[in-house]
Amino acid sequence: MSAMGHERIASAAADGLEKLLAVTDAHPGEVLGDAYLGRSTTDVLAHVHSWHTLFEGWIAAHLNGESVPYPAEDYSWKELDSLNEALYNAHAGRSYESVKDALLESHQLVMSLVAQIPESELVEVSRHDWLGGEALGDVAHE
């Protein structure tokens, strides 16, 4: 499969957000059980929002010619569970509506950022060393 470009990212993001909110809006704050570590639908939205915020930071650092903290400052991919726990803790206790509002805002910001990135930067796999061989468009899609 080829790397994700503008059109595919925008389409997948709109569809994914719509499906996610259809489920979470029907069950705001509902606990999801052991398979999800006892997290709630609110926590799921906070998780997606947190990764949007990380993406925003990656792009800002890249555009400023700085070292990109990928996946996050003081974390490696081997520490993904710890990073996800930190992201959870950063939003624990927030209301469903406040997290949903934050998600909608971060979603729009990420979509705006992606739209401003040249297509070639999204699809070229070796374009960004900090991505370790992934295409930026694929990361944006995730």
Side-chain angles (χ1 to χ4, degrees):
M1 183 165 109
S2 62
M4 299 287 279
H6 291 115
E7 189 174 314
R8 289 177 59 201
I9 293 168
S11 176
D15 185 50
L17 183 62
E18 181 181 333
K19 288 177 181 175
L20 175 64
L21 291 177
V23 172
T24 62
D25 282 348
H27 307 281
E30 186 170 308
V31 176
L32 300 172
D34 293 340
Y36 291 90
L37 304 173
R39 303 291 199 253
S40 69
T41 54
T42 304
D43 299 326
V44 171
L45 296 187
H47 180 82
V48 176
H49 165 67
S50 294
W51 281 92
H52 283 165
T53 303
L54 289 172
F55 183 85
E56 294 164 18
W58 302 332
I59 299 305
H62 171 70
L63 292 175
N64 290 328
E66 301 167 358
S67 175
V68 178
Y70 188 69
E73 193 70 43
D74 299 324
Y75 290 93
S76 70
W77 285 107
K78 291 179 183 177
E79 301 165 308
L80 186 59
D81 288 343
S82 294
L83 172 57
N84 282 327
E85 187 67 19
L87 298 175
Y88 165 75
N89 289 330
H91 297 283
R94 288 183 67 185
S95 72
Y96 178 81
E97 286 303 320
S98 73
V99 171
K100 179 181 173 181
D101 290 346
L103 172 64
L104 292 171
E105 184 177 320
S106 65
H107 174 81
Q108 288 304 317
L109 181 54
V110 166
M111 294 312 301
S112 176
L113 286 171
V114 168
Q116 295 173 44
I117 299 169
E119 186 86 8
S120 62
E121 285 196 39
L122 291 174
V123 300
E124 290 177 20
V125 174
S126 60
R127 183 71 178 240
H128 305 285
D129 292 340
W130 54 273
L131 288 174
E134 285 188 273
L136 182 57
D138 292 341
V139 172
H141 172 257
E142 292 169 16

